[in-house]
Amino acid sequence: MSALLALVGGRIPEARAAESVWSGLVIANNVTEPEPIPQEIKPIEQSLKDLFGYNQFKVIGKSQKTLKTGEEDWMASSKYFSLHVDSKGATAAGYLLGLQLFQEKKMLLETEAKLSKRSPLIIRGPQVGDGQLLLLLIVQ
């Protein structure tokens, strides 16, 4: 059997456990009495506060996607915004993603980014009212 594998020049791919990616549209702002931080982003609460200086982070849209091949796509949506995520492949360190942010039907952002398995991807979006839209993607 091992001789056959050597002849075709391949090796048996490692079995990968399916991983889940949480994607969220979050409004960050400063208020007198902040609501408790949503459970999905609690592990990065202090980092968000340090990076952006806001005391409240409210999830307005979210999606949870289990990646089996690393080439799936999904969308996190809210009333006015949506984030389309197109996973373009997996590496040992994470995923290469195509991201599109829409405000209703108008595209605001199109970019590619790498999502690490060890740290979240945090993107500052546009100002929204008295706050800031944040795009968060976290491998869980």
Side-chain angles (χ1 to χ4, degrees):
M1 176 91 164
S2 61
L4 178 61
L5 289 175
L7 285 175
V8 295
R11 62 183 180 92
I12 299 172
E14 295 177 25
R16 330 177 24 114
E19 293 178 300
S20 182
V21 176
W22 182 87
S23 308
L25 299 165
V26 176
I27 296 291
N29 59 0
N30 285 314
V31 295
T32 307
E33 294 183 34
E35 296 176 16
I37 193 151
Q39 198 62 34
E40 300 95 340
I41 58 177
K42 189 139 186 76
I44 61 171
E45 176 180 11
Q46 195 56 52
S47 295
L48 291 172
K49 288 178 177 179
D50 293 346
L51 282 170
F52 300 106
Y54 293 110
N55 67 1
Q56 177 172 269
F57 299 89
K58 187 173 184 179
V59 175
I60 61 169
K62 64 183 177 178
S63 178
Q64 184 89 27
K65 182 69 175 181
T66 299
L67 302 182
K68 295 177 184 155
T69 67
E71 296 183 5
E72 291 83 358
D73 64 332
W74 65 94
M75 187 171 297
S77 298
S78 71
K79 185 173 181 179
Y80 298 108
F81 295 98
S82 61
L83 174 65
H84 179 259
V85 183
D86 180 17
S87 181
K88 298 178 182 280
T91 67
Y95 299 93
L96 178 61
L97 305 175
L99 303 173
Q100 294 177 320
L101 175 65
F102 293 89
Q103 182 175 12
E104 295 177 336
K105 293 183 181 183
K106 179 182 175 188
M107 186 183 305
L108 299 179
L109 168 76
E110 183 171 24
T111 191
E112 286 191 353
K114 291 181 182 176
L115 173 60
S116 170
K117 294 178 184 180
R118 292 179 287 149
S119 64
L121 177 61
I122 304 168
I123 300 172
R124 180 188 299 241
Q127 288 289 128
V128 178
D130 67 345
Q132 182 85 50
L133 179 67
L134 304 177
L135 314 175
L136 303 178
L137 291 104
I138 303 169
V139 177
Q140 297 180 322

